[in-house]
Amino acid sequence: MTTLPTPAGDASRTAALEPAGPLLVADGLRLAFGPTIALADASLAVHPGEVLALMGPSGSGKSTLLHCLAGILRPGSGTVTFDGRDVTAMSDAGRSALRRSEFGFVFQFGQLVPELTCAENVALPLRLSGVSRRDAHRTAREWLARLEVPDVADKRPGQVSGGQGQRVAVARALVTRPRVLFADEPTGALDSLNGERVMQLLVAAARDTGAAVVLVTHDSRVAAYSDREAVVRDGRVREQVRA
């Protein structure tokens, strides 16, 4: 696996991570959408720097669990704790701020802003955090080079391939050096070759920055990049195994 260069500041960020104990904990999560039970007493812990794969059949609750861990959904009962803070007790504004400052996201179809160039897409989280335009765009280009797509910086998402676009999405997710990266089927729309390379780059970059990764996937080849696999069935975490 390729070891990628680390932008300035990553080493201190990694050193600041707690060496022991879970970083993110779900305890007894329950959530229903009408009569449909999505989560039924789901519990899980994610440790700093760990790559955790959530696996299970469609409709098992793994994406819902990821969304609760990320503070996108609020469970009906149970708690999510991040770095000692009760995420479920936060206001909507508090959870939004947490997602901007501490979490990064990669989804199946990238969800890049089509009107912006790829560099502008990567720079966007930095700009929203108050970073100057010049510094944000310089850092964005560094990350695009790190993800092996420096040549797409001035192109719009509609002008690049699916594999290139997903690398841009990974760069955007990691540009703020989040402590947790949430990836929901990040290779689901890619062919096997592009999917393999995206996972290699995603995991290498996350490890270099010290970010934990929570990965939802159906694909055992993608799950093989994880340190641990948790199988979700019927809204519960049924088993956890070392990858």
Side-chain angles (χ1 to χ4, degrees):
M1 185 177 298
T2 302
T3 299
L4 303 176
T6 302
D10 281 1
S12 60
R13 179 73 176 215
T14 302
L17 292 173
E18 293 82 0
L23 177 65
L24 182 64
V25 178
D27 185 19
L29 300 187
R30 293 178 177 269
L31 181 62
F33 299 106
T36 302
I37 304 298
L39 296 176
D41 198 29
S43 297
L44 186 71
V46 183
H47 294 266
E50 176 182 36
V51 180
L52 172 65
L54 299 179
M55 301 193 71
S58 296
S60 62
K62 56 189 184 298
S63 288
T64 302
L65 176 56
L66 180 145
H67 290 163
C68 286
L69 288 168
I72 296 172
L73 291 175
R74 194 193 298 271
S77 62
T79 59
V80 173
T81 305
F82 170 72
D83 196 21
R85 290 171 278 174
D86 187 348
V87 177
T88 47
M90 290 181 179
S91 65
D92 289 344
R95 287 184 289 125
S96 293
L98 186 68
R99 290 193 297 271
R100 285 196 304 271
S101 63
E102 304 282 6
F103 297 161
F105 298 89
V106 180
F107 299 101
Q108 182 173 348
F109 296 104
Q111 297 186 350
L112 300 174
V113 181
E115 295 83 7
L116 301 181
T117 66
C118 290
E120 288 169 339
N121 267 279
V122 176
L124 185 59
L126 295 174
R127 297 289 288 133
L128 291 173
S129 299
V131 177
S132 70
R133 184 181 187 279
R134 185 178 69 175
D135 288 347
H137 279 255
R138 183 184 67 247
T139 303
R141 288 176 182 273
E142 290 173 357
W143 271 95
L144 288 172
R146 185 176 190 170
L147 271 296
E148 300 180 347
V149 284
D151 54 323
V152 307
D154 297 317
K155 297 180 180 179
R156 287 183 167 78
Q159 299 173 307
V160 304
S161 69
Q164 290 173 325
Q166 202 65 339
R167 296 186 199 189
V168 174
V170 172
R172 182 183 62 181
L174 288 169
V175 71
T176 59
R177 296 195 293 276
R179 295 180 71 186
V180 184
L181 173 65
F182 295 96
D184 196 349
E185 298 285 1
T187 64
L190 304 179
D191 61 71
S192 59
L193 184 61
N194 273 302
E196 288 278 343
R197 192 59 187 146
V198 164
M199 282 305 305
Q200 290 171 0
L201 292 167
L202 184 157
V203 170
R207 292 199 191 283
D208 284 349
T209 61
V213 179
V214 181
L215 167 70
V216 166
T217 183
H218 290 91
D219 190 338
S220 59
R221 293 172 299 178
V222 172
Y225 286 92
S226 68
D227 301 308
R228 182 164 55 98
E229 298 176 13
V231 178
V232 183
R233 292 193 182 94
D234 301 323
R236 297 175 184 267
V237 180
R238 296 291 188 178
E239 57 187 272
Q240 300 183 43
V241 296
R242 273 297 143 186

